[in-house]
Amino acid sequence: MNANTSRQNAAAWEEGAQLFDRTTRDLPPGRHQFHKERMMAQIHETRQTEHTATATNGANGPTGTNGATPAKARRFRLSRPAIALPALAATVAAAVIAVVVTSGGESRPGLATGPALTTTIGVASAEGAPRLLDEIALAAADGKHPVAKPGQYIYIESKTADTFVRTVDGESSLASYALHTRQVWESPDGTKGWLIDPAVNDSSEGETLSLPDEQGNTPRATLNAPSYDYLAKLTTDPDTLLAKIYKETEGQGNTPDQQAFATIGDLLGESYPPAELVSALFKAAAKIPGVVVVDDAVDAAGRHGVAVARLDETSGQREEWIFDKKTHVYLGERIVQVNRVSGDDGLIKPGTIVFTSAIMKRAIVDGIKQTPSHSG
């Protein structure tokens, strides 16, 4: 994350960073963006207030050196980091991943001890990307999705791992969560849910993702925080859909094109879009400049496939959506460090898999913590 870490109050900033890091991993599919922005806004406002107080309460009195009254701290909008937060959405939306954590101690249930996963960087080609996405869109349109009813839950089980830069007492190093199983349940309206993820939970039983949150807020569903009901109402016209994505993610990400690609990728992970919408998303992705094909990519479950990908020139990371080569079924995604970058992020060497996920099960069940094999 490329957030400015200079601070007026180190303790407040470190505490906020710990809370932010934990929050981004605890969220139900689709809501990481909302809470990420809210948490960072609170941190920013604290720093801004402290800075204003320092400037205004000196020898010149409460109005400051220029006689102006302190301005209200503006809302800080944190874009989707160049280091993808797993779309945990509500990952989801999915989204983790090379997060720089500034803390004086552990900010997660346990220190990440897994080995950093690496891969051979696959050759990317722009040739054939539109045709492949068209074939994937046709395959998606043929898929039949059962409709989730009130009282039911969308269940998604995946295998996932991530690597990130961890900073403790000013010293940065690479840390990773080893490959593990993650289970998410979400009600169609997005207000009820449950998460079981050993990289997040303090208990093996998992924890609730139900709303309202601790402040009594029930966020409105958006592209960055989608519910099943929200997705079911989205337009399936590719041009209109893409225009909506660009408009609603304006100012986020390193570039508009990369953010549009990342947003579509988040919707493919820990969510359950109708078949018509999935097809439209692929057709929309084909219209984004810079989309390429990687002939061989491997998901978190070790399944080989073909990937639709795009390189973020700022972070040097390539986001890859992986599909079965024959059926074009979506398998999962991974983010690979392709180019070397400077600063602490330079600890993530080219060939490092920053994030990887494989969708193992995606179904509708009748209750929280119920799996497809135990569904009535």
Side-chain angles (χ1 to χ4, degrees):
M1 186 176 303
N2 298 319
N4 182 2
T5 56
S6 62
R7 50 198 179 278
Q8 302 298 322
N9 185 318
W13 176 253
E14 288 174 2
E15 179 182 5
Q18 291 179 36
L19 289 171
F20 166 58
D21 181 65
R22 174 59 188 263
T23 297
T24 57
R25 291 178 172 276
D26 283 358
L27 302 178
R31 293 212 173 74
H32 68 291
Q33 185 73 22
F34 170 85
H35 288 274
K36 180 171 58 179
E37 291 186 359
R38 188 180 68 178
M39 179 64 70
M40 293 308 290
Q42 292 172 352
I43 295 171
H44 177 79
E45 287 169 5
T46 298
R47 294 174 60 208
Q48 185 73 11
T49 298
E50 291 166 353
H51 177 75
T52 302
T54 300
T56 60
N57 291 330
N60 295 292
T63 57
T65 56
N66 61 1
T69 57
K72 181 179 180 182
R74 66 180 177 84
R75 190 175 191 276
F76 178 71
R77 183 168 208 24
L78 181 69
S79 62
R80 185 183 195 270
I83 47 184
L85 279 175
L88 301 186
T91 164
V92 158
V96 311
I97 328 161
V99 176
V100 178
V101 181
T102 303
S103 90
E106 291 188 31
S107 59
R108 296 190 174 115
L111 179 65
T113 58
L117 301 178
T118 59
T119 186
T120 300
I121 299 173
V123 177
S125 173
E127 185 178 353
R131 178 170 54 84
L132 175 60
L133 279 165
D134 186 58
E135 293 173 355
I136 292 171
L138 288 173
D142 289 338
K144 300 300 180 183
H145 286 203
V147 176
K149 302 175 183 177
Q152 293 184 310
Y153 292 84
I154 291 86
Y155 170 75
I156 300 175
E157 179 180 321
S158 60
K159 290 186 179 296
T160 185
D162 64 283
T163 296
F164 53 95
V165 174
R166 177 182 173 85
T167 302
V168 178
D169 297 331
E171 295 294 327
S172 297
S173 61
L174 213 58
S176 298
Y177 275 105
L179 189 67
H180 60 277
T181 297
R182 172 183 169 85
Q183 296 170 285
V184 172
W185 290 260
E186 184 186 17
S187 62
D189 64 3
T191 63
K192 296 179 181 179
W194 196 267
L195 170 68
I196 298 178
D197 185 335
V200 173
N201 306 139
D202 293 319
S203 167
S204 60
E205 293 297 314
E207 57 194 279
T208 183
L209 300 173
S210 296
L211 298 171
D213 62 18
E214 62 278 6
Q215 270 75 47
N217 301 314
T218 300
R220 179 177 60 87
T222 66
L223 278 173
N224 284 322
S227 66
Y228 173 88
D229 291 345
Y230 172 85
L231 294 174
K233 295 176 182 177
L234 283 180
T235 177
T236 55
D237 177 78
D239 292 310
T240 305
L241 181 59
L242 186 59
K244 177 181 177 66
I245 291 171
Y246 274 108
K247 181 179 180 180
E248 294 194 10
T249 61
E250 184 177 0
Q252 300 175 27
N254 289 322
T255 66
D257 291 334
Q258 187 64 33
Q259 182 60 33
F261 187 82
T263 298
I264 293 175
D266 285 349
L267 294 177
L268 298 175
E270 282 188 358
S271 66
Y272 196 74
E276 297 81 3
L277 177 60
V278 176
S279 179
L281 287 169
F282 291 134
K283 291 178 180 179
K287 300 175 183 292
I288 299 174
V291 175
V292 298
V293 173
V294 179
D295 283 338
D296 186 56
V298 185
D299 71 4
R303 299 175 298 194
H304 286 257
V306 60
V308 174
R310 194 178 193 282
L311 176 66
D312 185 331
E313 297 285 355
T314 302
S315 69
Q317 295 173 2
R318 188 169 70 196
E319 180 170 342
E320 302 176 350
W321 309 337
I322 306 171
F323 302 87
D324 184 276
K325 291 184 178 182
K326 293 182 179 179
T327 66
H328 296 319
V329 169
Y330 176 81
L331 300 178
E333 73 161 315
R334 69 178 183 179
I335 297 174
V336 179
Q337 190 74 40
V338 173
N339 298 330
R340 187 181 296 274
V341 294
S342 60
D344 284 347
D345 288 343
L347 292 170
I348 306 176
K349 306 300 183 185
T352 300
I353 299 175
V354 178
F355 172 70
T356 182
S357 177
I359 301 298
M360 308 309 295
K361 294 180 182 178
R362 197 192 308 250
I364 294 174
V365 296
D366 294 328
I368 281 182
K369 293 195 278 187
Q370 186 179 80
T371 60
S373 59
H374 295 92
S375 179

